[in-house]
Amino acid sequence: MALGSFLRCLIVSTFAVLGASAAAGTYQQVINFGTNPTNVGMYVYRPPNVAASPALVVGIHWCSGTAQAFYQGTQFANFADQYGYIVIYPHAPDSGGCWDVHSAATLKHDAGGDSLGIASMVRYAIANYKVDPNRVFAVGTSSGAMMTEVLVGAYPDLFKAGSANAGVPYACFSGPDMWNSACSTGTLTKTAQQWGDLVRNGYPGYTGGRPRMQIWHGTQDEVLNYNNFNEAIKQWTNVFGYSTTPTSTQQNSPLSGWSRYTYGPNFQAISAAGVPHNIPLQDTEVLKWFGIIGGGSTTSAPTTGPTTTPPTSTTTANPAQQTQWGQCGGIGWTGPTTCVAPYNCVVNNPWYSQCL
């Protein structure tokens, strides 16, 4: 499940110059922060001028990534210098750098798994850094996006909003194994009610407010099929009691060819036409969604054109050979198993091989 190799290459090439190298604060590891059954690592960035009651952003890396890579490859630390919030960068304990988004424990409030370790980090930050409990947010990419949706579903009492980039619906990977082929290939479908019930079952008896949710997905995602975007729309609209028909649509937002669908003040979904799994993370837009940067945190996006439904997947048949960085093997993989020259199919783990 080394999904993040795609994203690691993207971040190195696209964001390295713009990343946290210029951040002026302190990045350090924190230990003994609370209940942590799977030994998730906690790294914290504190800007030079922390706000009196700062917001908290939890930035969650991709599979095969690290806390350090997410810190260096995104703008969240630099923006923290400007806006005074604190960033937590969890580090996955799995040897492949992937998050536990499948176990019964991690999908249940305070039951265990990687999600409980991250929840403990948030509680520690609220208690020790004077974090405003009403401004706690999660953002992640790929496996980190999956964990973002797990946290938003299982810990609605801790998080106020989430932003998931190239992920899957909450509990889509549920099962005994780290990798779920039915979910990844987009063949796992449920009704909106069934998807919504999975979120509600993450914290049985919870009656409080639900965190606002934002999802991003490329129509040509070759690792986590675009159908997961449509399934996630069914899930979160059900959680919030919205129609699956968007109330407004913005074309070319925030980039040319991307479409922003708003379903209500608490949920929006952005479809990136022609974009593969390594969808570029839009740091500024995420911070707007969180309300840290002005422009879109509390109200629906304005209608700039006729309301439309999200496009259906345009994924085409697999080519005879995989291109550089593409998946070329693994449990459940049915695509190409040879790579274009001069690349070779390299096994990362039983679930994932890649053309390198």
Side-chain angles (χ1 to χ4, degrees):
M1 187 190 165
L3 310 179
S5 295
F6 290 96
L7 297 156
R8 177 170 54 190
C9 297
L10 170 77
I11 286 173
V12 168
S13 62
T14 307
F15 293 121
V17 176
L18 302 175
S21 59
T26 302
Y27 175 81
Q28 62 184 19
Q29 184 175 12
V30 176
I31 59 175
N32 299 324
F33 52 82
T35 305
N36 186 20
T38 60
N39 198 31
V40 178
M42 177 181 180
Y43 294 82
V44 178
Y45 178 77
R46 302 183 69 188
N49 298 304
V50 178
S53 185
L56 177 67
V57 174
V58 180
I60 311 169
H61 67 76
W62 49 92
C63 190
S64 84
T66 63
Q68 180 77 17
F70 203 85
Y71 163 65
Q72 292 183 319
T74 63
Q75 289 270 26
F76 295 112
N78 286 332
F79 280 120
D81 289 352
Q82 183 176 355
Y83 294 101
Y85 62 84
I86 293 171
V87 191
I88 287 177
Y89 299 93
H91 183 84
D94 175 70
S95 60
C98 304
W99 293 101
D100 169 17
V101 295
H102 69 282
S103 73
T106 205
L107 293 169
K108 190 76 70 175
H109 183 83
D110 281 346
D114 291 352
S115 66
L116 178 54
I118 298 175
S120 294
M121 298 176 196
V122 171
R123 291 163 176 157
Y124 180 91
I126 292 172
N128 293 276
Y129 303 146
K130 300 181 181 179
V131 162
D132 182 350
N134 292 312
R135 294 199 298 155
V136 176
F137 313 107
V139 56
T141 298
S142 192
S143 184
M146 299 185 205
M147 177 53 74
T148 296
E149 299 202 40
V150 168
L151 293 170
V152 167
Y155 294 89
D157 56 327
L158 289 180
F159 293 89
K160 299 306 175 184
S163 182
N165 297 262
V168 300
Y170 174 91
C172 191
F173 263 47
S174 176
D177 300 320
M178 183 75 76
W179 184 252
N180 187 308
S181 294
C183 180
S184 66
T185 57
T187 61
L188 180 60
T189 61
K190 297 180 183 293
T191 66
Q193 182 69 38
Q194 289 172 328
W195 280 123
D197 285 344
L198 288 173
V199 173
R200 289 180 284 271
N201 290 338
Y203 191 175
Y206 177 75
T207 58
R210 290 284 173 178
R212 301 168 66 251
M213 192 64 205
Q214 178 187 68
I215 62 173
W216 306 71
H217 216 110
T219 63
Q220 295 295 329
D221 194 317
E222 72 282 24
V223 177
L224 298 173
N225 187 274
Y226 182 70
N227 190 54
N228 284 297
F229 179 75
N230 298 310
E231 294 300 300
I233 288 172
K234 291 194 296 186
Q235 181 171 68
W236 294 108
T237 52
N238 180 267
V239 168
F240 293 115
Y242 299 154
S243 168
T244 53
T245 299
T247 58
S248 68
T249 297
Q250 291 174 282
Q251 302 294 352
N252 301 314
S253 176
L255 300 176
S256 177
W258 296 27
S259 301
R260 187 190 305 262
Y261 303 99
T262 300
Y263 298 84
N266 295 321
F267 178 58
Q268 68 175 211
I270 298 91
S271 174
V275 174
H277 186 62
N278 56 353
I279 182 170
L281 194 153
Q282 303 299 305
D283 312 61
T284 302
E285 292 294 325
V286 170
L287 293 176
K288 287 180 181 179
W289 179 248
F290 293 163
I292 292 174
I293 295 177
S297 65
T298 59
T299 59
S300 300
T303 301
T304 57
T307 297
T308 61
T309 55
T312 57
S313 175
T314 56
T315 301
T316 57
N318 287 304
Q321 289 185 311
Q322 185 60 280
T323 57
Q324 185 185 19
W325 314 123
Q327 185 175 359
C328 55
I331 296 173
W333 175 248
T334 59
T337 56
T338 60
C339 304
V340 297
Y343 306 107
N344 297 309
C345 189
V346 177
V347 176
N348 289 310
N349 57 49
W351 300 276
Y352 194 82
S353 300
Q354 184 181 20
C355 290
L356 299 173

